[in-house]
Amino acid sequence: MQKEAPHNMSNPQGQFNTLDALRFDNRVIRELPADPEPANNRRQVRGACYSRVLPTKVPQPKLVAYTREVADLLDLSYEACESETFTQVFAGNRLLPGMEPYAWCYGGHQFGNWAGQLGDGRAINLGEVVNRRGERWALQLKGAGPTPYSRTADGLAVLRSSVREFLCSEAMHHLGVPTTRALSLITSGENVIRDMFYDGNPKAEPGAIVCRVAPSFTRFGNFEIFASRGEIGVLKQLLDFTIHTDFPHLGEPSPRVYLDWFDEVCRRTADMMVHWVRVGFVHGVMNTDNMSVLGLTIDYGPYGWLEDYDPDWTPNTTDAGGRRYRFGNQPYIAQWNLFQLANAIYPLINQAEPLQQALSDYAQCYEQGWQAMMTQKLGLGAFDPATDDELISQLLDVLQLVETDMTIFFRRLALVDSELDSQQRANDDALMAPLEEAYYDPEKLIPEHRARIGNWLRAYLSRARQNGIPDARRREHMNAVNPKYVLRNYLAQLAIEKAEQGDSSTVTELLDVLRRPYDEQPGKESFAQKRPEWARHRAGCSMLSCSS
Ligand code: AMP
Ligand code: MG
């Protein structure tokens, strides 16, 4: 394993030096109905929330990386994470006392169509750890072998997609975006066959297992499956359980509380959408089985980061035709998905109007969150409808005049100077000088473009001046919400290509840089550069499929 940057290896009081000290309290197993069938064959599972299933053992597990922050959440010492037992456990080869593995049963709408039973086809939950602060963290292996929900697939995951899930979970967390977390990335020592672009070119790739960590992994699809089958008793059990464990502040379950719950899921989802827009994240497969009721970003598949600002962009080649999950469409799809969740819980409420109300509140909540976020990105304090509707809509036009790197643009916008003398301020080139770096081909900026950018900048700076916001304060506020470092698509690909050669140094270095996405980090600037030309049309950098 590649060692991370130096850190304190001491074992502060309160951390477990051995894995055996992890305390499991498996409420899912204890309180929800289980599939009575013990065999691990693919099947339709009825009347149950989950099936007990063991991870498949792998021949030669090797730790590629683990995250100190997630170890801290579980009170695990770094020594414990670097032990052979850790690798065996989180590869699925060994169970710790208290672990009771199972796979969830869920359904989902995929690309707008009801797909029936899906379920954890390659994810196996190990149990719920309660840490010393009393927090509950579910542990889940992804790529740990087949389950009753694997349908026609193998239950495995390749290193390529596992590196992407591992790095992006943590990058999102450090950006302040709600997300599931990743504890470990382990190669299995076995090859897995994948036809990456579904074009008749299957290839052997190294297999891997990621341990994901979240308060729970409950998805919209967990509720949809029971509603679709008319299993209203189980539906109620699952919703009551979810409220008790993940939403205890809502009080004892009742139809009134179910509505409060739905309202909160709507608000959390709106908040997540605002964050995705803020950082330029495109999920790629926003099916209802990939939506967490906790409002966490979940299931990192063919996701991507906006390079040039293009609201129509989708990284997912499987979605290239309809572009259902393109960047600019995500907030609407989230609402469509919430509508499916509302339908699923309707039998427990039997009133359509308050559910519809919550769905329109979602739209309002998103709109307000988006306005506040955009004015923060501009360092302008509170949103002022008198000026900011126009200012922001013109900004979005300016961003699309020519190919403009979204991340660099907002970061460099902080450097635009309001103290220029009037002559310089009237000069478009002088005013926009800090932004030059954001353009993929500055030659394409014709004088008319430069004039429009200049005009917009003058309007922007005058809005800041009217509100008495000095440059220094504007910069500070902007740099706290506009990241310098994001997991650019080509960076993840570089890390993957090295990891496939057995070199995990780029995975570890990226993980480290992405820990502090808002800091300047001298010496790490190469990770903040715009996409190089070679990556423009390269597989894995600009095009991804669901194959993982
Ligand atoms: P996704 O769209 O990737 O979130 O996956 C949709 C469904 O397919 C889920 O039920 C997954 O568990 C399942 N699935 C995806 N890949 C595999 C695989 N390699 N083996 C078994 N099930 C899979
Ligand atoms: Mg999924």
Side-chain angles (χ1 to χ4, degrees), residues 126-335:
L126 297 173
E128 301 146 59
V129 166
V130 178
N131 71 11
R132 284 176 195 265
R133 290 182 297 282
E135 296 163 352
R136 178 173 294 273
W137 292 104
L139 309 184
Q140 185 183 78
L141 301 183
K142 183 167 174 180
T147 76
Y149 307 96
S150 298
R151 298 178 291 156
T152 56
D154 57 11
L156 304 174
V158 291
L159 180 59
R160 157 173 64 82
S161 64
S162 306
V163 165
R164 287 171 50 82
E165 170 125 27
F166 177 80
L167 285 177
C168 203
S169 311
E170 292 306 290
M172 292 285 265
H173 168 74
H174 294 296
L175 284 164
V177 184
T179 177
T180 62
R181 304 293 301 275
L183 171 66
S184 55
L185 169 62
I186 295 172
T187 45
S188 65
E190 255 173 347
N191 278 337
V192 172
I193 307 291
R194 287 290 180 270
D195 183 357
M196 190 155 82
F197 286 105
Y198 305 120
D199 59 0
N201 286 305
K203 210 180 101 193
E205 299 186 46
I209 301 117
V210 169
C211 178
R212 307 198 282 196
V213 176
S216 83
F217 291 93
T218 314
R219 303 149 189 268
F220 291 11
N222 285 79
F223 297 91
E224 289 179 274
I225 189 72
F226 301 121
S228 80
R229 289 170 167 170
E231 294 174 353
I232 307 306
V234 192
L235 176 69
K236 180 173 184 314
Q237 264 180 293
L238 178 64
L239 184 49
D240 290 354
F241 173 84
T242 301
I243 291 170
H244 280 139
T245 47
D246 287 327
F247 298 79
H249 53 277
L250 294 178
E252 274 310 299
S254 68
R256 174 73 251 160
V257 168
Y258 298 151
L259 283 171
D260 292 345
W261 176 78
F262 182 66
D263 212 48
E264 185 165 338
V265 177
C266 287
R267 275 185 283 111
R268 288 187 189 212
T269 305
D271 181 57
M272 176 174 79
M273 287 304 112
V274 170
H275 279 292
W276 287 6
V277 175
R278 174 173 65 83
V279 299
F281 177 78
V282 193
H283 183 283
V285 206
M286 284 179 74
N287 294 332
T288 56
D289 52 305
N290 292 337
M291 297 287 293
S292 138
V293 297
L294 288 173
L296 305 173
T297 314
I298 189 171
D299 276 12
Y300 291 91
Y303 67 82
W305 294 80
L306 278 195
E307 287 156 345
D308 58 300
Y309 182 82
D310 174 6
D312 287 336
W313 185 70
T314 173
N316 184 357
T317 52
T318 317
D319 188 30
R323 291 180 186 264
R324 179 179 172 85
Y325 297 140
R326 62 191 184 272
F327 177 72
N329 211 32
Q330 297 184 116
Y332 304 103
I333 291 293
Q335 190 182 33

Side-chain angles (χ1 to χ4, degrees), residues 415-434 461 465 471:
L415 298 174
V416 170
D417 192 349
S418 74
E419 323 263 278
L420 295 179
D421 62 39
S422 58
Q423 205 184 356
Q424 284 176 309
R425 200 172 320 128
N427 178 333
D428 297 327
D429 289 347
L431 192 56
M432 66 180 284
L461 291 176
R465 254 195 323 276
D471 279 358

Side-chain angles (χ1 to χ4, degrees), residues 16 21 72 78 190 196 229 263 320 355 392 462 479 487 501:
F16 299 133
D72 289 343
Y78 310 143
E190 255 173 347
M196 190 155 82
R229 289 170 167 170
D263 212 48
L355 288 168
I392 294 170
S462 102
N479 287 347
L487 184 57
Q501 306 304 314

